[in-house]
Amino acid sequence: MVGTTHPGNRANNEDTYTYDTQGRYGIVCDGMGGHEGGEVASALALTSLKEYLAYLFAPRPEQPLTALQMRQGLAEAVYRANQQLVNRNQSERRSRYQQMGTTVVAYCLTGSLLHIAHVGDSRIYLINQSHCQQLTVDDDVANLEVSLAHTTTTASSYLTNGGALTQALGVTATQSLLPTVQTFVLPEDCLLLLCSDGLCDGSLIERTWQTALRPLLEGDLAGSTQELLDLALRELGHDNITFILVRYTPPAAPARSTTNLED
């Protein structure tokens, strides 16, 4: 797996990311609140989330955590990070637009089970030879209006405030926070892409996955980071750019023993 971050055409970088070197988990946070807030919020959230996800994979004398327990753990990690940021905003007397906050996408991988959590508009994609699927749904006004049947998916793209976030860590009270936590089965070779909106705005992933990402199912993953950065800078560049790429290959099935029967 690989990951990188770049400020884009901005003076500072409010994105942060981290991943486990064994590929068991990864996190991307996209801060908001300006230089004084966004960088601090994403860094604090990342540290909190990383500590809790590492705890989920700590050796245990009992059985490994079930899928339900992994989802509960991911949700708890998000709630803890959110409360830490809420407390920080309150202690610094930040309110309304002065509050610092961050989006988050995170995954945990246990065998062939992919557990994901997200708040905000950073995304997780799954790419295989024939499909590119966005696994997360942005927490923004446009999707909220569609979910409430107030508008259609096509019409929502014309909403003037459609991209405004409906929730983010630090700016949403913990009792009101609704992180989306899901589990998927990975049955075949695939790529996982976690990214901030600096890489996926303007449907960039959907428009370019066949040429920019699908070849990485078999190609050089380490050499792909600069190419993806160059693509985002060329096509977008208006925001910080951060992503993690994970290549998943199912474990080989154990060899089946054969017995020769003689008459």
Side-chain angles (χ1 to χ4, degrees), residues 119-141:
V119 174
D121 61 356
S122 295
R123 296 179 178 178
I124 300 180
Y125 289 89
L126 186 147
I127 298 101
N128 59 23
Q129 288 289 354
S130 56
H131 297 96
C132 173
Q133 181 182 2
Q134 181 182 333
L135 299 183
T136 54
V137 177
D138 297 349
D139 290 322
D140 60 21
V141 170

Tab-separated table of all heavy atoms in Angstrom, residues 119-141:
chain	number	residue	atom	x	y	z
A	119	VAL	N	-17.213	10.218	7.847
A	119	VAL	CA	-18.002	11.404	8.165
A	119	VAL	C	-17.487	12.515	7.266
A	119	VAL	O	-16.278	12.765	7.212
A	119	VAL	CB	-17.865	11.827	9.639
A	119	VAL	CG1	-18.594	13.148	9.890
A	119	VAL	CG2	-18.385	10.752	10.583
A	120	GLY	N	-18.383	13.174	6.537
A	120	GLY	CA	-17.964	14.263	5.666
A	120	GLY	C	-17.939	13.855	4.207
A	120	GLY	O	-18.692	12.974	3.782
A	121	ASP	N	-17.044	14.479	3.423
A	121	ASP	CA	-17.038	14.222	1.983
A	121	ASP	C	-15.733	13.637	1.456
A	121	ASP	O	-15.523	13.606	0.241
A	121	ASP	CB	-17.370	15.509	1.206
A	121	ASP	CG	-16.368	16.630	1.452
A	121	ASP	OD1	-15.448	16.451	2.277
A	121	ASP	OD2	-16.512	17.699	0.818
A	122	SER	N	-14.838	13.195	2.337
A	122	SER	CA	-13.736	12.366	1.869
A	122	SER	C	-14.321	10.993	1.524
A	122	SER	O	-15.355	10.599	2.052
A	122	SER	CB	-12.647	12.246	2.930
A	122	SER	OG	-12.045	13.512	3.164
A	123	ARG	N	-13.645	10.256	0.643
A	123	ARG	CA	-14.282	9.080	0.061
A	123	ARG	C	-13.432	7.826	0.107
A	123	ARG	O	-12.213	7.895	0.251
A	123	ARG	CB	-14.646	9.357	-1.411
A	123	ARG	CG	-15.671	10.454	-1.604
A	123	ARG	CD	-15.954	10.672	-3.078
A	123	ARG	NE	-16.989	11.697	-3.287
A	123	ARG	CZ	-17.400	12.102	-4.481
A	123	ARG	NH1	-16.880	11.565	-5.576
A	123	ARG	NH2	-18.340	13.034	-4.578
A	124	ILE	N	-14.108	6.681	-0.067
A	124	ILE	CA	-13.465	5.393	-0.286
A	124	ILE	C	-14.048	4.796	-1.563
A	124	ILE	O	-15.267	4.711	-1.714
A	124	ILE	CB	-13.680	4.425	0.890
A	124	ILE	CG1	-13.113	5.012	2.184
A	124	ILE	CG2	-13.046	3.073	0.582
A	124	ILE	CD1	-13.289	4.109	3.397
A	125	TYR	N	-13.153	4.405	-2.465
A	125	TYR	CA	-13.545	3.742	-3.706
A	125	TYR	C	-13.010	2.316	-3.711
A	125	TYR	O	-11.948	2.041	-3.149
A	125	TYR	CB	-12.963	4.454	-4.923
A	125	TYR	CG	-13.563	5.801	-5.247
A	125	TYR	CD1	-13.057	6.971	-4.683
A	125	TYR	CD2	-14.616	5.916	-6.157
A	125	TYR	CE1	-13.587	8.214	-4.997
A	125	TYR	CE2	-15.158	7.150	-6.481
A	125	TYR	CZ	-14.641	8.297	-5.900
A	125	TYR	OH	-15.175	9.525	-6.219
A	126	LEU	N	-13.743	1.432	-4.392
A	126	LEU	CA	-13.277	0.077	-4.670
A	126	LEU	C	-13.189	-0.074	-6.180
A	126	LEU	O	-14.161	0.206	-6.894
A	126	LEU	CB	-14.218	-0.953	-4.070
A	126	LEU	CG	-13.765	-2.419	-4.166
A	126	LEU	CD1	-14.245	-3.200	-2.959
A	126	LEU	CD2	-14.274	-3.086	-5.444
A	127	ILE	N	-12.030	-0.509	-6.660
A	127	ILE	CA	-11.793	-0.646	-8.098
A	127	ILE	C	-11.379	-2.081	-8.408
A	127	ILE	O	-10.465	-2.612	-7.759
A	127	ILE	CB	-10.684	0.318	-8.591
A	127	ILE	CG1	-11.103	1.778	-8.361
A	127	ILE	CG2	-10.354	0.082	-10.052
A	127	ILE	CD1	-10.496	2.420	-7.160
A	128	ASN	N	-12.061	-2.705	-9.359
A	128	ASN	CA	-11.605	-3.988	-9.882
A	128	ASN	C	-11.492	-3.877	-11.395
A	128	ASN	O	-11.547	-2.779	-11.951
A	128	ASN	CB	-12.518	-5.139	-9.437
A	128	ASN	CG	-13.953	-4.955	-9.893
A	128	ASN	OD1	-14.239	-4.244	-10.866
A	128	ASN	ND2	-14.874	-5.605	-9.206
A	129	GLN	N	-11.358	-4.995	-12.080
A	129	GLN	CA	-11.131	-4.943	-13.517
A	129	GLN	C	-12.307	-4.341	-14.284
A	129	GLN	O	-12.118	-3.751	-15.347
A	129	GLN	CB	-10.838	-6.349	-14.054
A	129	GLN	CG	-9.478	-6.898	-13.674
A	129	GLN	CD	-8.340	-6.195	-14.400
A	129	GLN	OE1	-8.551	-5.354	-15.278
A	129	GLN	NE2	-7.114	-6.531	-14.035
A	130	SER	N	-13.504	-4.458	-13.750
A	130	SER	CA	-14.677	-4.022	-14.510
A	130	SER	C	-15.466	-2.875	-13.900
A	130	SER	O	-16.330	-2.303	-14.579
A	130	SER	CB	-15.633	-5.212	-14.724
A	130	SER	OG	-15.995	-5.791	-13.475
A	131	HIS	N	-15.192	-2.524	-12.650
A	131	HIS	CA	-16.007	-1.501	-11.995
A	131	HIS	C	-15.160	-0.556	-11.133
A	131	HIS	O	-14.108	-0.940	-10.614
A	131	HIS	CB	-17.082	-2.142	-11.096
A	131	HIS	CG	-18.070	-2.979	-11.821
A	131	HIS	ND1	-17.950	-4.347	-11.928
A	131	HIS	CD2	-19.210	-2.655	-12.480
A	131	HIS	CE1	-18.966	-4.827	-12.620
A	131	HIS	NE2	-19.738	-3.824	-12.971
A	132	CYS	N	-15.691	0.639	-10.968
A	132	CYS	CA	-15.196	1.596	-9.968
A	132	CYS	C	-16.403	2.010	-9.146
A	132	CYS	O	-17.342	2.625	-9.666
A	132	CYS	CB	-14.565	2.811	-10.647
A	132	CYS	SG	-14.095	4.136	-9.509
A	133	GLN	N	-16.404	1.644	-7.878
A	133	GLN	CA	-17.568	1.878	-7.024
A	133	GLN	C	-17.198	2.774	-5.858
A	133	GLN	O	-16.246	2.496	-5.124
A	133	GLN	CB	-18.124	0.560	-6.490
A	133	GLN	CG	-19.351	0.714	-5.602
A	133	GLN	CD	-19.845	-0.603	-5.044
A	133	GLN	OE1	-19.251	-1.651	-5.287
A	133	GLN	NE2	-20.927	-0.565	-4.283
A	134	GLN	N	-17.947	3.859	-5.689
A	134	GLN	CA	-17.776	4.707	-4.513
A	134	GLN	C	-18.530	4.054	-3.360
A	134	GLN	O	-19.743	3.900	-3.401
A	134	GLN	CB	-18.318	6.109	-4.771
A	134	GLN	CG	-18.148	7.062	-3.597
A	134	GLN	CD	-18.730	8.442	-3.866
A	134	GLN	OE1	-18.807	8.874	-5.011
A	134	GLN	NE2	-19.157	9.125	-2.818
A	135	LEU	N	-17.802	3.655	-2.310
A	135	LEU	CA	-18.422	2.945	-1.195
A	135	LEU	C	-19.061	3.893	-0.185
A	135	LEU	O	-19.910	3.471	0.600
A	135	LEU	CB	-17.380	2.075	-0.486
A	135	LEU	CG	-16.721	0.972	-1.321
A	135	LEU	CD1	-15.764	0.156	-0.449
A	135	LEU	CD2	-17.750	0.074	-1.980
A	136	THR	N	-18.635	5.138	-0.168
A	136	THR	CA	-19.176	6.127	0.768
A	136	THR	C	-20.127	7.071	0.042
A	136	THR	O	-20.058	7.224	-1.175
A	136	THR	CB	-18.042	6.938	1.404
A	136	THR	OG1	-17.235	7.510	0.360
A	136	THR	CG2	-17.163	6.071	2.282
A	137	VAL	N	-20.996	7.693	0.804
A	137	VAL	CA	-21.903	8.720	0.284
A	137	VAL	C	-21.590	10.014	1.028
A	137	VAL	O	-21.636	10.053	2.269
A	137	VAL	CB	-23.378	8.333	0.487
A	137	VAL	CG1	-24.299	9.449	0.006
A	137	VAL	CG2	-23.701	7.034	-0.256
A	138	ASP	N	-21.261	11.068	0.297
A	138	ASP	CA	-20.861	12.330	0.918
A	138	ASP	C	-21.943	12.852	1.858
A	138	ASP	O	-23.132	12.850	1.523
A	138	ASP	CB	-20.590	13.395	-0.146
A	138	ASP	CG	-19.436	13.035	-1.056
A	138	ASP	OD1	-18.712	12.073	-0.752
A	138	ASP	OD2	-19.254	13.734	-2.079
A	139	ASP	N	-21.519	13.301	3.031
A	139	ASP	CA	-22.443	13.952	3.965
A	139	ASP	C	-22.574	15.422	3.581
A	139	ASP	O	-21.969	16.311	4.195
A	139	ASP	CB	-21.914	13.835	5.406
A	139	ASP	CG	-21.971	12.423	5.937
A	139	ASP	OD1	-22.947	11.716	5.630
A	139	ASP	OD2	-21.034	12.023	6.660
A	140	ASP	N	-23.370	15.692	2.545
A	140	ASP	CA	-23.549	17.074	2.101
A	140	ASP	C	-25.024	17.353	1.840
A	140	ASP	O	-25.875	16.461	1.897
A	140	ASP	CB	-22.686	17.387	0.871
A	140	ASP	CG	-22.995	16.502	-0.327
A	140	ASP	OD1	-24.103	15.915	-0.379
A	140	ASP	OD2	-22.139	16.403	-1.229
A	141	VAL	N	-25.318	18.621	1.561
A	141	VAL	CA	-26.702	19.056	1.383
A	141	VAL	C	-27.353	18.351	0.205
A	141	VAL	O	-28.520	17.942	0.272
A	141	VAL	CB	-26.759	20.586	1.214
A	141	VAL	CG1	-28.154	21.037	0.792
A	141	VAL	CG2	-26.351	21.284	2.511
